[in-house]
Amino acid sequence: DESTLAIVSDLALLLHLQSKFQESEDMHRQALVGRESTLGEDHVDTIASLGNLADVLVTTGHLVEAEELQRKAMQRKEVVFGPNHPSTLL
């Protein structure tokens, strides 16, 4: 359910802010998997989940995986919005 996945994602963000990084990572992964299967890989919320997971991975020093996820998010934004859209350029 889309609203449940939004709550999972919000909780993951709060856990990150509380420096509960492993719990945050787990929740971000749960949100990402759920959004990919429910909404599809190119849905804006799924793309946001990629970036959110990448953010916590940067914080915990998992830079290679974080870079892969950010590149994937950027590629999906280009497909969904086009290369000149403000969301793609950021």
Side-chain angles (χ1 to χ4, degrees):
D1 167 74
E2 195 170 338
S3 62
T4 301
L5 293 170
I7 292 168
V8 170
S9 182
D10 289 345
L11 177 57
L13 292 169
L14 287 171
L15 290 166
H16 189 165
L17 291 172
Q18 295 175 33
S19 299
K20 297 178 180 179
F21 302 123
Q22 186 59 56
E23 291 176 78
S24 175
E25 180 183 337
D26 294 344
M27 297 297 284
H28 278 305
R29 288 187 189 282
Q30 182 181 344
L32 177 59
V33 168
R35 284 177 165 169
E36 285 178 334
S37 66
T38 304
L39 304 174
E41 291 185 347
D42 292 333
H43 190 279
V44 65
D45 290 341
T46 305
I47 295 168
S49 285
L50 284 169
N52 291 339
L53 177 55
D55 287 345
V56 76
L57 291 172
V58 166
T59 301
T60 59
H62 296 94
L63 303 181
V64 172
E65 185 180 3
E67 179 184 351
E68 291 170 2
L69 292 173
Q70 288 290 19
R71 288 184 183 278
K72 186 184 265 188
M74 185 174 64
Q75 290 168 348
R76 288 186 186 168
K77 282 183 178 183
E78 287 179 357
V79 168
V80 173
F81 300 115
N84 296 317
H85 189 275
S87 293
T88 304
L89 297 173
L90 297 177

